[in-house]
Amino acid sequence: RLVEMVAYYLSIVSIVPIVLISLLTRGTDGITVEESCLNEVGGEYCASSEACEGKVELADILDQDVGEDNIFFIETSPKEVITPREACSLESAARNSGLHVVMVRAGNVLDKSDNTTCLIINKFKSSVKLFYIDMDKFAEGTSLEGFFRSDKLNESMSKFVHSADALRLLLIHRYGGFYADSDFVILKDLTKLKNVIASDQVARRQYSEGNHLLVGHTVSNAMFHFSKGSLILELALNHFNEAFSSQVWASGGPDLLQRCLLALCGFGNDVPTNGIMMTRERFNPERCKGISVLDYKSFFPYGWMQQEQLLDRKTKSDWYEIFYQSYAVHFYHSSSRRHGPDKVIKRPKYYGAKKPAYLVLGLDHCPLAYWSKNVF
């Protein structure tokens, strides 16, 4: 059927000028035909298939001259493909952040027969750099040397997550810049933000007795910016091994960063990790060695406990009003993926005027990633 269609178009192209959009979309199960998406909003992206085949070997980041002004993403599993939502993080960062986008991967090969992976490699080759990272070698000469092959990590309840907790500290300490989890959608330019972090634990806007905005009890390590060699990262790396517990999810991640932040801001070890309700006035560069705790809406307009609300259906204008103060939106993939198939984002035709946040933002900020597979 497809061959007949192509032959028909070729037979009339000399008579009637047309724009022929390729109908071929390569998925994980081979080449499929995505005719329906040509009638959707943004249909020009749905058929952006390349000649995708074979595997590509990634260059080692240690062999590269990695400059500054980067935003880093991490994949610590050995998988060979980039999922649509991971691709959305990369694409939205490339379109909006104003930074160089770098993803480091524990596997040294990517499979171009996967359509999403192929699109990122081919369409964003000048703005998204994909590198292999040997985590054990990268940690040599640091306080984390040997951690990535340790029994402590191998016993972890979440080995890939805990590996990423450690690796982001090493990466940003060595190069400086932003780190972000691969389930963010980046909405705005990030170049003016320096040495910033935020909390994902806030449910609603509250104010202190002094009418100062409360920005959380603890910070998140899902997205932050620190300068190369930053003191908070020095502290985190130096205390990582004693703080890390293989059976405690946040031990080498947000719990560790919160403890280091409290120390930099003048609080003693007797203060519980979540014992201070933070305000921007108290947790500012003057009091915290150059670090700012941002309004939680900057990166986490919905807190971890409110993530289900991102699945609510709202109009586009309603969502953008909610995200007005946000530089990025976190979608909590590592926890939300455990909740079943209802989290799948389908094609726009399955919704009315009101849509979930991921669909609204995906169409606007990562259309290539969104249309690269039948399901987002």
Side-chain angles (χ1 to χ4, degrees), residues 20-25 34 38 46-49:
L20 178 60
I21 301 177
S22 169
L23 295 176
L24 297 182
T25 302
E34 175 87 3
L38 296 178
C46 73
S48 300
S49 179

Side-chain angles (χ1 to χ4, degrees), residues 1 22 28 38 55 127 160 212 258 277 279 351 354:
R1 176 62 177 162
S22 169
T28 55
L38 296 178
K55 297 186 178 184
S127 54
F160 297 141
H212 294 155
Q258 178 67 15
M277 191 57 174
T279 67
Y351 306 89
K354 297 182 177 182

Side-chain angles (χ1 to χ4, degrees), residues 264-266 280-293:
L264 289 182
C265 297
R280 287 180 295 177
E281 287 75 17
R282 178 62 184 85
F283 287 76
N284 61 34
E286 290 72 32
R287 297 184 177 214
C288 298
K289 309 293 187 185
I291 295 174
S292 298
V293 177

Side-chain angles (χ1 to χ4, degrees), residues 144 147 152 156 161-170 221 224 233 236-237 239-258 260:
L144 267 63
F147 171 74
K152 200 171 185 180
S156 168
V161 172
H162 286 155
S163 294
D165 283 341
L167 184 57
R168 73 192 68 183
L169 301 175
L170 290 170
N221 72 335
F224 55 78
L233 297 176
L237 289 170
H239 291 282
F240 185 91
N241 286 310
E242 65 186 72
F244 176 71
S245 171
S246 59
Q247 302 305 309
V248 180
W249 175 275
S251 60
D255 287 356
L256 175 60
L257 276 183
Q258 178 67 15
C260 294

Side-chain angles (χ1 to χ4, degrees), residues 21-70:
I21 301 177
S22 169
L23 295 176
L24 297 182
T25 302
R26 185 184 295 270
T28 55
D29 54 351
I31 296 178
T32 62
V33 179
E34 175 87 3
E35 294 175 337
S36 61
C37 73
L38 296 178
N39 299 317
E40 302 275 9
V41 177
E44 66 268 27
Y45 297 107
C46 73
S48 300
S49 179
E50 302 281 343
C52 298
E53 58 183 18
K55 297 186 178 184
V56 294
E57 187 170 346
L58 302 179
D60 192 321
I61 191 170
L62 288 174
D63 297 330
Q64 308 302 309
D65 181 14
V66 179
E68 299 181 3
D69 299 322
N70 298 305

Side-chain angles (χ1 to χ4, degrees), residues 63-221:
D63 297 330
Q64 308 302 309
D65 181 14
V66 179
E68 299 181 3
D69 299 322
N70 298 305
I71 180 168
F72 289 93
F73 298 90
I74 288 173
E75 177 53 61
T76 53
S77 81
K79 69 178 185 178
E80 298 182 354
V81 299
I82 300 171
T83 69
R85 294 191 182 189
E86 292 164 352
C88 183
S89 292
L90 299 174
E91 181 180 351
S92 63
R95 292 178 182 275
N96 300 327
S97 72
L99 302 169
H100 306 296
V101 182
V102 179
M103 174 175 256
V104 297
R105 304 180 63 86
N108 68 343
V109 167
L110 281 173
D111 185 354
K112 286 184 67 176
S113 68
D114 174 77
N115 192 52
T116 307
T117 305
C118 185
L119 286 174
I120 291 297
I121 291 172
N122 290 337
K123 294 293 186 182
F124 293 94
K125 61 180 66 177
S126 63
S127 54
V128 176
K129 302 302 181 186
L130 303 165
F131 295 129
Y132 164 66
I133 189 165
D134 181 331
M135 294 183 286
D136 200 46
K137 187 176 180 181
F138 197 81
E140 288 180 358
T142 76
S143 56
L144 267 63
E145 182 170 352
F147 171 74
F148 295 105
R149 62 175 185 273
S150 67
D151 291 339
K152 200 171 185 180
L153 179 60
N154 286 329
E155 295 166 357
S156 168
M157 59 181 285
S158 302
K159 181 179 178 180
F160 297 141
V161 172
H162 286 155
S163 294
D165 283 341
L167 184 57
R168 73 192 68 183
L169 301 175
L170 290 170
L171 269 173
I172 304 304
H173 183 262
R174 180 178 294 221
Y175 299 119
F178 261 97
Y179 166 81
D181 282 354
S182 298
D183 50 2
F184 272 93
V185 180
I186 309 299
L187 304 181
K188 296 176 183 176
D189 188 289
L190 300 174
T191 56
K192 299 293 192 295
L193 298 179
K194 306 292 182 184
N195 295 305
V196 295
I197 197 165
S199 174
D200 65 358
Q201 300 294 317
V202 182
R204 58 188 174 88
R205 295 184 88 72
Q206 294 178 279
Y207 293 84
S208 68
E209 292 181 0
N211 201 34
H212 294 155
L213 178 67
L214 302 175
V215 294
H217 286 97
T218 60
V219 294
S220 169
N221 72 335

